[in-house]
């Protein structure tokens, strides 16, 4: 190795002299984050910017928290550890690196989805709102998606009230603008449509704002509907995912509409939605079918003798989808479609709903209507694996699903209910082996019977 290369190499027997170790650490941190070598003094008086703090602090890797979430903290740390890390992530939402900002937003969202932190976020509500607003306005697709998702989870944490209303007043117009912006990323518009609907469902106290949001979402998903005389339209466009999210968000808001407005919407869309059942995208067909079932349920709650004129043609379409055997479609899609449309057909023809049971902790919830199912599915999409925790602890969600006040459990009871990850793995492995053995025996019996005949 040339001598001029050896000057910067550390001695094997020690850490180097004086402050060379600190300088090397600062340089490495700057290289990792910014992509260029810079001599950064971590906590100097001259450079105390947020960017320098993000490079040199102990929480400078938000992606690790975004992946692990607060689960590790629950097991090994304390509430103070979680709050300390969240403060660092909030600072990182102002970082110059887009990837760092995105990872910080995702880390905060995962924490809020997995743990109730009402007091903590109440003190930092304005800071979080400003960070989300900045990322929505100036960020690219992935950053906008992360910011919109955080806005929805923040609303779920705050619940209905002044704080969430202020959040919606600030972020609502921006979310609406992105949803309607044809030049924006389809993925960003899709996420913003879902989150806009959820925030409006929770926070809106102005009926005109609710109607405006409904019209905005209608203007998006109705683009997938066939016009009266147009029967040969290809609707497998890339923006189908946006139309699906807009339709589902619209259906969610329809469940909280006043009866008079809901009737107008039903009359307007009962004859439009069936055209979506012939869409090339299986998820659009399923979303349209479930939305139709929800509309029928709402209409029959308003008028017990509700009559739909095109019932025969609609039931024929639903029955065809419930028994679809098209060879050009994937088996998984066909199986999923048939399962959903069997339930939709029963809802339309027999006014029936297959009750589902959701268990969380020592409690269980019965989903016995399409309105309840759609509301549950929407919040599960927003909260992910944290849905069960919020059903136990979040007063707003417990009010939505009529679960009453939260059940108070001591730490010992919670610890006995929580199965360690290693034990879950062993249990799943044993169950898989048992199923494999059972299938093998069944195949052997069938083989023996075939040989006998």
């Amino acid at each position: 190795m040339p001598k001029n290369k050896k000057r910067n190499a550390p001695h094997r027997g020690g850490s180097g002299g004086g402050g060379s170790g600190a300088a090397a650490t600062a340089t490495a941190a700057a290289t990792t984050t910014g992509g260029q070598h810079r001599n950064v003094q971590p906590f100097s008086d001259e450079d105390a910017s947020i960017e320098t703090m993000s490079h040199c602090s102990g929480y400078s890797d938000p992606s690790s928290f975004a992946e692990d979430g607060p689960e590790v903290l629950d097991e090994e740390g304390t509430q103070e550890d979680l709050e300390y890390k969240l403060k660092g992530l909030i600072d990182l939402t102002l970082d110059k690196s887009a990837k760092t900002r995105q990872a910080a937003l995702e880390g905060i969202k995962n924490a809020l989805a997995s743990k109730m932190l009402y007091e903590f976020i109440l003190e930092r509500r304005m800071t979080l709102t400003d960070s989300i607003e900045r990322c929505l306005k100036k960020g690219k697709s992935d950053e906008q998606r992360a910011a919109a998702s955080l806005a929805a989870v923040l609303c779920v944490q705050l619940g209905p009230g002044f704080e969430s209303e202020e959040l919606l007043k600030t972020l609502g117009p921006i979310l609406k603008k992105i949803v309607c912006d044809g030049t924006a990323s389809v993925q960003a518009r899709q996420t913003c449509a879902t989150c806009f609907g959820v925030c409006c469902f929770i926070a809106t106290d102005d009926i005109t704002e609710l109607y405006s949001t409904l019209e905005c979402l209608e203007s998006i998903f109705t683009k997938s509907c066939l016009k009266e005389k147009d029967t040969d339209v290809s609707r497998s466009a890339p923006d189908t995912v946006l139309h699906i999210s807009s339709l589902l968000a619209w259906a969610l808001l329809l469940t909280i509409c006043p009866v008079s407005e809901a009737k107008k919407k039903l009359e307007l869309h009962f004859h439009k939605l069936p055209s979506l059942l012939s869409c090339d995208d299986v998820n659009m067909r399923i979303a349209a079918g479930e939305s139709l079932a929800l509309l029928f349920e709402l209409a029959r709650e308003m008028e017990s003798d509700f009559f739909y004129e095109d019932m025969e043609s609609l039931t024929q379409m639903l029955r065809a989808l419930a028994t679809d055997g098209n060879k050009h479609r994937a088996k998984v899609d066909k199986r999923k479609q048939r399962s959903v449309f069997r339930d939709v057909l029963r809802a339309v023809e027999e006014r029936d709903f297959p009750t589902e049971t959701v268990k969380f902790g020592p409690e269980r919830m019965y989903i016995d209507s399409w309105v309840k199912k759609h509301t549950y599915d929407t919040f599960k999409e927003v909260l992910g694996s944290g849905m069960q925790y919020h059903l136990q602890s979040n007063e707003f969600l417990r009010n939505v699903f009529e679960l009453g006040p939260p059940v108070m459990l001591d730490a010992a009871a919670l610890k006995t209910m929580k199965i360690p990850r290693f034990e879950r793995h062993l249990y799943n492995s044993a169950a898989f082996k048992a199923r494999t053995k059972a299938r093998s025996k069944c195949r052997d019996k069938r083989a023996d019977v075939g040989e006998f005949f």
Side-chain angles (χ1 to χ4, degrees):
M1 181 183 292
K3 291 182 179 180
N4 62 343
K5 296 289 184 181
K6 289 185 177 180
R7 285 185 300 179
N8 295 327
H11 295 287
R12 292 185 181 180
S15 60
S20 61
T25 304
T27 306
T31 303
T32 302
T33 308
Q36 296 178 348
H37 290 275
R38 293 184 300 168
N39 293 322
V40 178
Q41 297 298 325
F43 300 104
S44 66
D45 295 334
E46 296 178 359
D47 186 8
S49 66
I50 294 172
E51 181 190 4
T52 306
M53 291 289 288
S54 70
H55 290 164
C56 306
S57 65
Y59 40 73
S60 60
D61 185 12
S63 60
S64 62
F65 187 77
E67 293 172 0
D68 298 336
E71 184 177 353
V72 177
L73 291 171
D74 289 341
E75 296 173 356
E76 302 174 0
T78 62
Q79 180 76 10
E80 288 76 16
D81 295 330
L82 175 58
E83 292 185 359
Y84 173 76
K85 202 150 193 174
L86 281 173
K87 289 174 185 176
L89 291 176
I90 292 172
D91 288 342
L92 289 177
T93 59
L94 304 176
D95 196 271
K96 288 185 178 180
S97 167
K99 288 186 177 180
T100 302
R101 293 195 303 269
Q102 179 189 336
L105 292 167
E106 291 172 353
I108 299 169
K109 180 249 181 184
N110 289 341
L112 299 186
S114 306
K115 199 170 183 67
M116 285 300 296
L117 297 163
Y118 180 79
E119 296 296 334
F120 176 84
I121 63 174
L122 196 61
E123 296 175 1
R124 298 160 181 83
R125 175 176 58 88
M126 296 304 297
T127 304
L128 283 168
T129 304
D130 290 343
S131 295
I132 294 169
E133 181 181 9
R134 188 180 297 104
C135 293
L136 284 173
K137 284 182 174 179
K138 298 183 178 180
K140 301 293 183 180
S141 174
D142 290 339
E143 187 178 347
Q144 288 178 322
R145 295 181 69 186
S149 298
L150 175 56
V153 177
L154 191 59
C155 249
V156 173
Q157 281 264 353
L158 292 171
F162 171 77
E163 291 81 10
S164 57
E165 288 175 17
E166 290 295 310
L167 180 75
L168 183 61
K169 284 180 182 177
T170 303
L171 302 180
I174 305 171
L175 291 170
K176 185 175 182 180
K177 182 179 179 181
I178 295 173
V179 170
C180 299
D181 183 5
T183 62
S185 160
V186 173
Q187 288 75 21
R189 296 174 69 193
Q190 174 194 4
T191 304
C192 287
T194 299
C195 296
F196 187 31
V198 169
C199 290
C200 193
F201 179 86
I202 297 170
T204 188
D205 195 32
D206 184 0
I207 200 69
T208 56
E209 180 65 28
L210 175 62
Y211 294 164
S212 174
T213 306
L214 283 167
E215 289 175 2
C216 169
L217 296 170
E218 283 174 18
S219 67
I220 302 297
F221 77 80
T222 50
K223 292 176 182 177
S224 280
C225 295
L226 285 174
K227 296 181 180 179
E228 292 181 6
K229 295 182 180 180
D230 191 357
T231 58
D232 186 20
V233 178
S234 175
R235 287 158 292 153
S236 57
D239 54 357
T240 301
V241 290
L242 168 63
H243 299 169
I244 294 170
S245 295
S246 300
L247 172 60
L248 295 177
W250 174 83
L252 176 71
L253 294 180
L254 194 64
T255 63
I256 61 171
C257 259
V259 174
S260 58
E261 184 67 18
K263 282 185 177 180
K264 295 177 183 176
K265 298 295 183 186
L266 293 176
E267 291 175 2
L268 181 63
H269 292 283
F270 254 132
H271 301 287
K272 291 183 178 181
L273 290 182
S275 65
L276 298 178
L277 297 175
S278 57
C279 182
D280 293 336
D281 190 291
V282 63
N283 293 315
M284 174 57 91
R285 294 195 298 272
I286 289 173
E290 291 183 338
S291 299
L292 276 169
L294 186 145
L295 262 61
F296 268 92
E297 186 174 271
L298 292 175
R300 286 163 175 167
E301 285 178 0
M302 297 173 198
E303 300 176 11
S304 57
D305 57 345
F306 171 75
F307 176 75
Y308 183 66
E309 296 177 356
D310 300 328
M311 179 65 81
E312 186 175 350
S313 62
L314 177 61
T315 52
Q316 285 179 356
M317 292 179 69
L318 296 176
R319 191 171 289 107
L321 291 167
T323 58
D324 187 10
N326 194 326
K327 294 181 179 180
H328 299 289
R329 288 174 180 163
K331 288 184 179 179
V332 176
D333 290 348
K334 285 189 289 186
R335 192 180 301 117
K336 182 180 178 182
Q337 174 185 291
R338 287 196 293 258
S339 174
V340 170
F341 278 96
R342 282 195 293 267
D343 295 338
V344 172
L345 185 61
R346 286 171 58 188
V348 172
E349 284 189 325
E350 306 170 17
R351 306 188 178 200
D352 189 22
F353 180 85
T355 302
E356 301 175 12
T357 304
V358 177
K359 296 180 181 179
F360 48 97
E363 302 176 84
R364 61 182 61 194
M365 176 178 71
Y366 297 100
I367 299 178
D368 52 6
S369 68
W370 285 100
V371 170
K372 205 169 185 178
K373 180 183 185 303
H374 186 61
T375 307
Y376 175 80
D377 289 344
T378 303
F379 280 100
K380 187 177 180 182
E381 180 182 352
V382 170
L383 294 170
S385 59
M387 182 65 179
Q388 291 191 342
Y389 176 84
H390 277 265
L391 284 175
Q392 286 182 269
S393 310
N394 190 313
E395 291 186 7
F396 159 67
L397 278 185
R398 293 185 69 87
N399 288 333
V400 168
F401 295 107
E402 301 176 344
L403 296 171
V407 178
M408 302 303 294
L409 296 172
D410 56 16
L414 288 171
K415 191 172 182 180
T416 56
M417 288 164 49
K418 189 170 183 180
I419 304 172
R421 190 179 300 176
F422 180 66
E423 290 185 18
R424 286 201 304 266
H425 175 70
L426 291 177
Y427 175 80
N428 292 335
S429 299
F432 177 75
K433 289 178 181 178
R435 287 195 299 270
T436 304
K437 287 181 179 179
R439 289 195 192 104
S440 299
K441 288 180 180 179
C442 184
R443 290 193 188 102
D444 292 342
K445 288 179 181 178
R446 285 186 300 210
D448 293 341
V449 171
E451 290 176 2
F452 178 77
F453 285 104

